[in-house]
Each structure stands twice: as structure tokens, then as C-alpha cells.
């Protein structure tokens, strides 16, 4: 085909929408030179800062002088990295600038292929003046996948309207050690909660037309000592049963079209070079057909950090062979080093073609190769990233994720009470934001622009509702200065009740106490905050301890004197309002812990997913029992659980076929005087198995709002596949034998247990197994009378 006919485009088969994306990609691929092919496998990060104040690991080491823009795009370009998320830019101006860049990319190359544009979007579109939503730990605390899906839909709509095609979220790492700084980015410590919530996020983003990118595949959160990028001493069974299920759920139930590799090395093999994981498991076993993109600089890290590659070309070869399709954030090892290696025959061009095929198919699916594709949206002049509908979702999610851990009748705050508000988080808008929010992630380097949003503090919102409010910070989040503690003590002593706000400041690479690269030595509150807590508790004034943090901090005996304890995990831009509403009783608390709250700052790591010897026992002096267990949370009303029963099978209610389903039911009633929401949780207990098993693990849950006096039947339909685990032979199996299904208010508070027996022969299951426990809620006319 002549150059002229390529430029015409009208007759080019890769632009023919009557053909399938695969057919269109196959028509284009053989016409491209090696340089043109590889240009589609890289991103370019224009304007990235190399001064050392980076937002990616080793950014100052890895960002160097890029070639001239005209040189970079002469053969085309795979991706544009974060045009909105690198520096503050007005939404309309940013969209126009992005469109101009796309026009140049299209005009410069033979085939006129636009770049795919990606941005961060974990707590909202990471752009200036975009809505900041609660962090993933708050999503988990809400136990509300439907609302998370609605949030992701709002995020995706704002991104797509700006010309962005791919979002680097959600994070599906199951947290294994709370000292890890990125705990705030995880949804929780349970794979079922992470998977169901993460899949909901994916559905919302993908429905809006944005490619969701699953992070970080896999094992990143299980690093030794909770240190970022540290080696992962994890066996394949833990990987299969704890780490991988959320990714399976997000792919099958969410429809994610991209996966990002983990920085981790598992048992000495970096994931970026692990063909068995990125190709053998992800593609061959699971059938994933989307793109695998490299976490930022992960390809070159095979040389510079892991030491398994000799040079950039060798790193590119290893990553490409493993299954990485696109190098992010900017052209490096997949640039000239890969081109030259391909020319020398050191890299099989078939590997390049394999990656390119997936990249082209995804671009075609996004409409980037269609005749009608346009660089600039028609309604760009009215583009806004923060609107009332988005704020409403952010506020609802913040309200649902506040967790009331303890309450000795001090909450809600009494009308007319004199309230002292103390603590370093009380009047700090950044206390609401996670490390991947734009103001924290990027805005801190551009203070002249301001936050770009109105982010009321807890003090702002509480002052609107509590007329007799005094405020003293007491101390800073970090540092050793205790000079402000006496004033805080005096304020608390003169009040009827003291609200004490402590916790974290999110940041990056040591610039915060929580966030990427901000790992903790132990789980004591940062700085002298514990000194402040002890001093205020000593006044005798009832204290409401509010933890506003990115991880659970140990709340051991020294905090037992608090009359109430409230946990909030970076609630987003309207978190101050949500917290104030819960404290004053305008909103009933309904959040539940997505992570356990430890009692002791040491004795780590430990989560609730532990076998018997991982719990308190007689052979160790360390007691890992948490202060508050996974799933715990209180309300301002009371609930009664009763009449647990097996609904199906009816003939023998205890017999659960290894290839069948059991349906179990419990009745829950609101016996209090105000409306509230109970979180009904279902746990599996497997007392005897061929490998050690967690004492309990979550397999189902639902939010249940009830008016005073209202009751409902909650029925769970549990496929036997949900009881599967990795057996002795390394395959996932459903094993016959005795089990219990436990209805729990939390993982540590069992309301009722039903003994069952899985019957039949051992059954092997795989990626196509049933993943979800169904839930059915049937309202009752009146509260059943207790016996």
C-alpha cells in the first residue's frame, strides 16, 4: 500500500469499523517498522520534575533530558503520562493543551495514531480542582460496593470528558503489615472485601469509558518489615489464597482491561521479569487479553534495583518476555535500547508484535483509530472536575466509612455541651486527604496555586454545630515539641467533653507519616501525639478520641480511658462535614473496620486471617489479639440478631454438596429508638483441612438500613466454590468435611453459627469458579418478639 493511501485513511482497513478490533490491528501491524512498533509501547512524561521532589520512586534518578518533542513523536507514541496530574492546570486549558499535543502526534506519524492518555485516579481524578474522594480504606470501611461503583463512575466521566482514556486504579493489594506506608491505598486486609469492592470500582470506571488498571499485580503489600519495595517472603499458597483473589474478581466481575505489575520480588524473582505470573497465570490460565503496563520505572529497576538485568536492553528483553506491554511513565528501556536490541536480533520481534497487538486492539476499542475521532470534546468550555453530583457521592461515602469503635454514652455530643477540640488534625484540611489526592501528590510542590478546592476541617464543621467550642492543637503531627500540650490540657479540663483528633499526614517518600515510601517502624502514633493523649486523658474530662489516619494505630491500655473512639481513614474533601455529623448525631455511624486495630504497637505483622497458631496461644508470650477486630463497628441504635437457620438444602440441612450451594438466613431487627444501618457479615470456619486455614474468613456481607422497630430476613446463598483453598498439590480445591458458617457482627463477635458438612469427593476448581456469595434481604412487617 502506498504512502498516499496510508495518509488518506479512508480506505485503510485499520480504520474500518466494520472489522473487529483484532482484524483492524492485524491489518496495521505488518505495515509498521520496528521503530513505529516500539513507539507504541512507551509513554512520555512531559514536565516531570527531576529535582528530587518526585511522585514516583527514584524519579530524580530516572528522569533525564528527553529528546525534542518532535523527535519523541516522529514514529508515533503509545501513551501520554499525566498531562493533568503533573502540575496544576486549569481544566479547560488542560484539555485544550492535551488536544493540541494529540494533533501533533497524529500529524507527525505515518499512521496518525493518537496517544492513549493515562492519569492517577485512586481518590478521584488526580487533577487540580477535581473532587477528592475518601481513600480506599474508607471504601472498605463503608462495606458498600454500590456506592464505590457510583464514585468510580463519577471519576471516569470527568476523566473521559477531559480526553483521558486510562486510570491507574484501583489498588487491589491486600494489606499484610500495617506499617507499610501504602496501607492507606489498600481496601483492607480481607481478599473478599477487597475483591468485591475493587470489582465495583472497576465496573464504574469502565462503564464511563475509561480503562481501569489493576494495581499492583502482585504481592507488593506483603513486603518484609512493611518496607516499600522490600523483598516479599511469601509462599505460593499465600499468594494464591490471599493476594490473587481480588485480581480475579476485578477481572471477571469488573471487566478491567489493564493490569500494572508490582515492584515486588517474590522469592527472589521480580514480578516485572516473572513470565509465569504475567503470562502463564494472567494470560494463559485466566485468559486476560488486555494490556500489562509497567509501574513507573519498573522495567529499568530490573537493572538498577533488582540486579537481574545487565543493562537497559536486557531489562527491556526480560520485561517484554515476561509479558509487560507498555513501559511507563516515560521512554527509557523500551526506547532506543529495545530498538537496537531488536535490530541486533537479541529480542525476538515476535515479542514486540505480541505486545503491540494488544496495545493496538485497546486503542481501537477506545475509538482512537476511528474516522470520527476528535482531539477536543465539543463541550470543553464547560468542563468541570468538581461538581455537586460528585461532591454528593464523596460526602455519602465519607459518612458511611466513619467507624465508631467505642462509646461510653458520650456520643452523640449533647446539645449545649462545652466541647474542647484539641489535637494536630483538628484544624488541618490536609488531614482529610490521602497521598494520591492531587493536593498531596502534586499540589504540595505548587503552593502558589492553593488547594483548588474548599476542604473544610473538622474544626470548621464542628464549630457550625457546637456553639461552645474551644480549640487548641496541643502538638504537631511529627516532631518532639510538647510546648502546646499544657494549653490543650487546660482547654480539655475546662470542657464538658474533649474531642481529640490525632493521626497522620499523608505524603510521599518521607514527606508524610503515611503514604508511598512513608513506612512506620511501629504502630505508635507519630511524634508526641501519644503524650498529648495521655495528658488529656489524665484531666478526667470525657474524651472522644478521633483517629484520622492512613493506617490503624495501636490503641492499647494507654487509650482505654477514652470514653469514645472514632476511626476515620482520610475521608476526602468533605470528610470534616461527615465527621462532625457523626459526632453530633446528625448521621448514625455505620462504618466497619476493614483492618483490625492492634492493641500493641509491636508483635507484627498480624491480621485477622490467621490460623490457630497465629492467634493467642500458650506457646508464645506475645498476644496478637487486636483492640478491635476486622469488621467491628458500633451504631447509635441497637440491633438484635436471631433465628439463624439453613434454608436450603431442605432434606438434610447439614449436607452441603461440594458442587452445590447452601442458603442460610438470619433475622436482624433494629431494637433502638433511631434509624441505623447494620453490616451483616458471614464468615467461614474450617476446623480441619489438609493445610492450615484461617480460623475465620469473610465470605459474604451486606449493608442493612433499618428504621426503629423494623426487621428483615437476610439470606446468603453460598456456593461451595467460595469455601475453596489451595490444597497440598498446589491446586485450588473444595474439600469435603465439617465447616461452620458464622453470622458475625465482626470477625470477633459471632451472633450465630451453623454447622454443616461439605459432602462428596474432593473437587478441583479454577479461575471460572463461583466467586460471590449472593445476598437477599426481605423486610418484615414488625420486630419479632424475643423468646
Amino acid at each position: 500500500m502506498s504512502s498516499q493511501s496510508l495518509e488518506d485513511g479512508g480506505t485503510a482497513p485499520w480504520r474500518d469499523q466494520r472489522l473487529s478490533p483484532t482484524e483492524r490491528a492485524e491489518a496495521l501491524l505488518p505495515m509498521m517498522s520496528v521503530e513505529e512498533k516500539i513507539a507504541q509501547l512507551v509513554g512520555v512524561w512531559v514536565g516531570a520534575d527531576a529535582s528530587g521532589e518526585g511522585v514516583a520512586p527514584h524519579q530524580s534518578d530516572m528522569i533525564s533530558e528527553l529528546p525534542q518533542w518532535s523527535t519523541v513523536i516522529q514514529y508515533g507514541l503509545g501513551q501520554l503520562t499525566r498531562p493533568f496530574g503533573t502540575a496544576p492546570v486549569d481544566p479547560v486549558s488542560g484539555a485544550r493543551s492535551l488536544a493540541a499535543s494529540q494533533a501533533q502526534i497524529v500529524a507527525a506519524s505515518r499512521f496518525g495514531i493518537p496517544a492513549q492518555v493515562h492519569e492517577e485516579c485512586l481518590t478521584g481524578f488526580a487533577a487540580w480542582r477535581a473532587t477528592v474522594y475518601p481513600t480506599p480504606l474508607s471504601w472498605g470501611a463503608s462495606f458498600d460496593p454500590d456506592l464505590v461503583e457510583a464514585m468510580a463512575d463519577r471519576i471516569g466521566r470527568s476523566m473521559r470528558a477531559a480526553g483521558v482514556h486510562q486510570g491507574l486504579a484501583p489498588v487491589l493489594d491486600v494489606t499484610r503489615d500495617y506499617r507499610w506506608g501504602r496501607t492507606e491505598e489498600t481496601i483492607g486486609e480481607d481478599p473478599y472485601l477487597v475483591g468485591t469492592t475493587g470489582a465495583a470500582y472497576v465496573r464504574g470506571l469502565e462503564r464511563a469509558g475509561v480503562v481501569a488498571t489493576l494495581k499492583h499485580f502482585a504481592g507488593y503489600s506483603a513486603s518484609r518489615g512493611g518496607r516499600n519495595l522490600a523483598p516479599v517472603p511469601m509462599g505460593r499458597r499465600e499468594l494464591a489464597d490471599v493476594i490473587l483473589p481480588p485480581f480475579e474478581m476485578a477481572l471477571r466481575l469488573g471487566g478491567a482491561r489493564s493490569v500494572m505489575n508490582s515492584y515486588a520480588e517474590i522469592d527472589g524473582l521480580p514480578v516485572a521479569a516473572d513470565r509465569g505470573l504475567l503470562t502463564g497465570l494472567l494470560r494463559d490460565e485466566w485468559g486476560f487479553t488486555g494490556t500489562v503496563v509497567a509501574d513507573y520505572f519498573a522495567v529499568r529497576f530490573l537493572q538498577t534495583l533488582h540486579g537481574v538485568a545487565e543493562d537497559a536492553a536486557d531489562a527491556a528483553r526480560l520485561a517484554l518476555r515476561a509479558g509487560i506491554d507498555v513501559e511507563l511513565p516515560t521512554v527509557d528501556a523500551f526506547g532506543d535500547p529495545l530498538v537496537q536490541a531488536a535490530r541486533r536480533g537479541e529480542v525476538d520481534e515476535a515479542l514486540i508484535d505480541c505486545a503491540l497487538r494488544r496495545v493496538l486492539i485497546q486503542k481501537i476499542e477506545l475509538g482512537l483509530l476511528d474516522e470520527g475521532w476528535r482531539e477536543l470534546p465539543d463541550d470543553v468550555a464547560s468542563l468541570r472536575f468538581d461538581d455537586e453530583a460528585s461532591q454528593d457521592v464523596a460526602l455519602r461515602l465519607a459518612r458511611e466509612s466513619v467507624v465508631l469503635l467505642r462509646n461510653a454514652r458520650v456520643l452523640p455530643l449533647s446539645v449545649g455541651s462545652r466541647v474542647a477540640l484539641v489535637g494536630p488534625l483538628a484544624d488541618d484540611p490536609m488531614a482529610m486527604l490521602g497521598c494520591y489526592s492531587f493536593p498531596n501528590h502534586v499540589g504540595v510542590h505548587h503552593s502558589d496555586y492553593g488547594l483548588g478546592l474548599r476542604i473544610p476541617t473538622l474544626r470548621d464543621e464542628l464549630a457550625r454545630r457546637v456553639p461552645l467550642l474551644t480549640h487548641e492543637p496541643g502538638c504537631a503531627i511529627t516532631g518532639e515539641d510538647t510546648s502546646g500540650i499544657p494549653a490543650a490540657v487546660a482547654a480539655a479540663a475546662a470542657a464538658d467533653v474533649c474531642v481529640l483528633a490525632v493521626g497522620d499526614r499523608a505524603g510521599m517518600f518521607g514527606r508524610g507519616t503515611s503514604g508511598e515510601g512513608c513506612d512506620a517502624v511501629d504502630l505508635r502514633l507519630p511524634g508526641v501525639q501519644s503524650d498529648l493523649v495521655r495528658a488529656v486523658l489524665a484531666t478526667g474530662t470525657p474524651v472522644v478520641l478521633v483517629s484520622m489516619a492512613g493506617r490503624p494505630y495501636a490503641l492499647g491500655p494507654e487509650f482505654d480511658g477514652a470514653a469514645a473512639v472514632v476511626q476515620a481513614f482520610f475521608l476526602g474533601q468533605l470528610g470534616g462535614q461527615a465527621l462532625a455529623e457523626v459526632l453530633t448525631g446528625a448521621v448514625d455511624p455505620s462504618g466497619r473496620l476493614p483492618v483490625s486495630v492492634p492493641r500493641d504497637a509491636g508483635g507484627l505483622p498480624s491480621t485477622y486471617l490467621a490460623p490457630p497458631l497465629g492467634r493467642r496461644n500458650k506457646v508464645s508470650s506475645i498476644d496478637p489479639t487486636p483492640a478491635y477486630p476486622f469488621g467491628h463497628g458500633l451504631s447509635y441504635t441497637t440491633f438484635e440478631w436471631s433465628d439463624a437457620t439453613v434454608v436450603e438444602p431442605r432434606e438434610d440441612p447439614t449436607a452441603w454438596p461440594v458442587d452445590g450451594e447452601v442458603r442460610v438466613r438470619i433475622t436482624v431487627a433494629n431494637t433502638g429508638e433511631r434509624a441505623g444501618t447494620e453490616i451483616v457479615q458471614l464468615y467461614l470456619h474450617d476446623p480441619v483441612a489438609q493445610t492450615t486455614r484461617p480460623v475465620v474468613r469473610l465470605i459474604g456481607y451486606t449493608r442493612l438500613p433499618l428504621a426503629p422497630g423494623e426487621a428483615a430476613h437476610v439470606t446468603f446463598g453460598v456456593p461451595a466454590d467460595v469455601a475453596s483453598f489451595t490444597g497440598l498439590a498446589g491446586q485450588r480445591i473444595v474439600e469435603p468435611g465439617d465447616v461452620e458458617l458464622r453470622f458475625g457482627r465482626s470477625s470477633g463477635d459471632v451472633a450465630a453459627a451453623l454447622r454443616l458438612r461439605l459432602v462428596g469427593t474432593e473437587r478441583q476448581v479454577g479461575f471460572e469458579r463461583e466467586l460471590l456469595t449472593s445476598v437477599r434481604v426481605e423486610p418484615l412487617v414488625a420486630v419479632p418478639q424475643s423468646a
Side-chain angles (χ1 to χ4, degrees), residues 192 645-649 655-665 681-685 697-701 714-724 734 739-743 754 756 758 763 770-776:
Y192 190 84
T645 187
V646 177
V647 179
E648 292 283 351
W656 182 8
V658 294
D659 59 352
E661 179 183 88
V662 65
R663 293 174 59 223
V664 296
R665 185 179 68 202
Q681 302 161 50
L682 186 68
Y683 292 87
L684 174 72
H685 170 61
R697 63 181 176 96
L698 184 72
I699 60 168
Y701 63 89
V714 178
T715 303
F716 292 98
V718 189
D721 289 4
V722 173
S724 65
V734 180
V739 295
E740 275 187 4
L741 294 182
R742 297 179 175 179
F743 295 97
L754 298 171
L756 303 166
L758 283 160
R763 177 169 156 265
E770 293 290 332
L771 297 172
L772 286 180
T773 293
S774 64
V775 185
R776 181 182 176 187

Side-chain angles (χ1 to χ4, degrees), residues 338-360:
L338 180 56
V339 171
Q340 297 307 318
R343 293 288 187 204
R344 295 190 299 267
E346 296 170 0
V347 173
D348 188 348
E349 193 169 343
L351 285 176
I352 296 170
D353 288 350
C354 189
L356 175 62
R357 185 175 293 108
R358 293 189 281 255
V359 167
L360 291 176

Side-chain angles (χ1 to χ4, degrees), residues 233-538:
M234 178 171 55
R236 292 287 163 172
R237 188 167 282 107
E238 181 182 356
L239 181 72
D241 289 350
V242 178
I243 301 299
L244 293 179
F247 292 94
E248 296 179 85
M249 298 176 90
L251 291 174
R252 282 190 51 204
L253 307 178
R257 287 181 285 173
S258 187
V259 170
M260 175 178 277
N261 77 280
S262 161
Y263 285 131
E265 59 172 86
I266 302 175
D267 194 25
L269 179 59
V271 171
D274 190 343
R275 182 171 176 81
L277 190 60
L278 297 182
T279 296
L281 177 70
L282 181 62
R283 296 195 183 281
D284 297 343
E285 289 188 36
W286 290 1
F288 177 65
T289 58
T291 58
V292 175
V293 300
D295 204 344
Y296 284 14
F297 310 118
V299 175
R300 182 62 81 96
F301 285 170
L302 293 174
Q303 174 201 355
T304 60
L305 299 186
H306 295 295
V308 298
E310 185 176 0
D311 53 24
D314 194 27
R317 178 186 63 82
L318 288 174
L320 200 60
R321 181 183 176 277
I324 290 178
D325 301 316
V326 180
E327 181 183 34
L328 298 180
T330 201
V331 58
D332 181 38
F334 274 25
D336 189 61
L338 180 56
V339 171
Q340 297 307 318
R343 293 288 187 204
R344 295 190 299 267
E346 296 170 0
V347 173
D348 188 348
E349 193 169 343
L351 285 176
I352 296 170
D353 288 350
C354 189
L356 175 62
R357 185 175 293 108
R358 293 189 281 255
V359 167
L360 291 176
I361 288 172
Q362 190 161 98
K363 286 192 172 187
I364 291 166
E365 290 173 345
L366 289 166
L368 297 182
L369 271 68
D370 291 351
E371 286 291 347
W373 179 82
R374 298 177 60 187
E375 299 96 337
L376 195 65
D378 292 330
D379 57 350
V380 68
S382 60
L383 189 61
R384 289 181 59 198
F385 295 160
D386 183 39
D387 56 29
E388 290 184 1
S390 300
Q391 291 171 15
D392 175 68
V393 172
L395 178 59
R396 287 161 53 203
L397 185 55
R399 286 168 173 163
E400 289 188 2
S401 61
V402 176
V403 187
L404 179 61
L405 300 180
R406 179 193 305 162
N407 187 20
R409 299 184 180 180
V410 69
L411 290 178
L413 296 172
S414 299
V415 177
S417 294
R418 297 170 299 163
V419 177
L421 176 62
V422 304
L425 281 297
D427 196 29
D428 183 357
M430 304 301 278
M432 304 297 164
L433 308 181
C435 81
Y436 265 78
S437 64
F438 185 86
N440 253 336
H441 200 61
V442 176
V444 291
H445 308 306
H446 304 273
S447 57
D448 291 346
Y449 284 80
L451 295 175
L453 300 165
R454 179 181 173 270
I455 306 177
T457 67
L458 177 57
R459 181 188 181 186
D460 294 333
E461 293 293 340
L462 209 53
R464 294 174 51 199
R465 296 165 174 81
V466 179
L468 302 177
L469 184 74
T470 59
H471 169 251
E472 289 288 345
C475 67
I477 296 171
T478 58
E480 302 300 319
D481 185 5
T482 60
S483 62
I485 292 180
V489 167
D496 297 318
V497 62
C498 175
V499 176
L500 176 53
V502 297
D504 281 322
R505 178 186 292 276
M508 302 283 289
F509 305 111
R511 299 192 295 273
T513 60
S514 172
E516 187 172 358
C518 298
D519 309 317
V521 174
D522 57 36
L523 295 179
R524 283 187 280 261
L525 286 168
V528 296
Q529 293 184 74
S530 292
D531 295 339
L532 174 64
V533 173
R534 285 190 292 268
V536 171
L537 288 174

Side-chain angles (χ1 to χ4, degrees), residues 151-167:
M151 174 194 70
D153 179 74
R154 298 301 309 174
I155 294 170
R157 288 170 184 264
S158 65
M159 296 171 72
R160 197 62 200 257
V164 178
H165 313 105
Q166 182 169 358

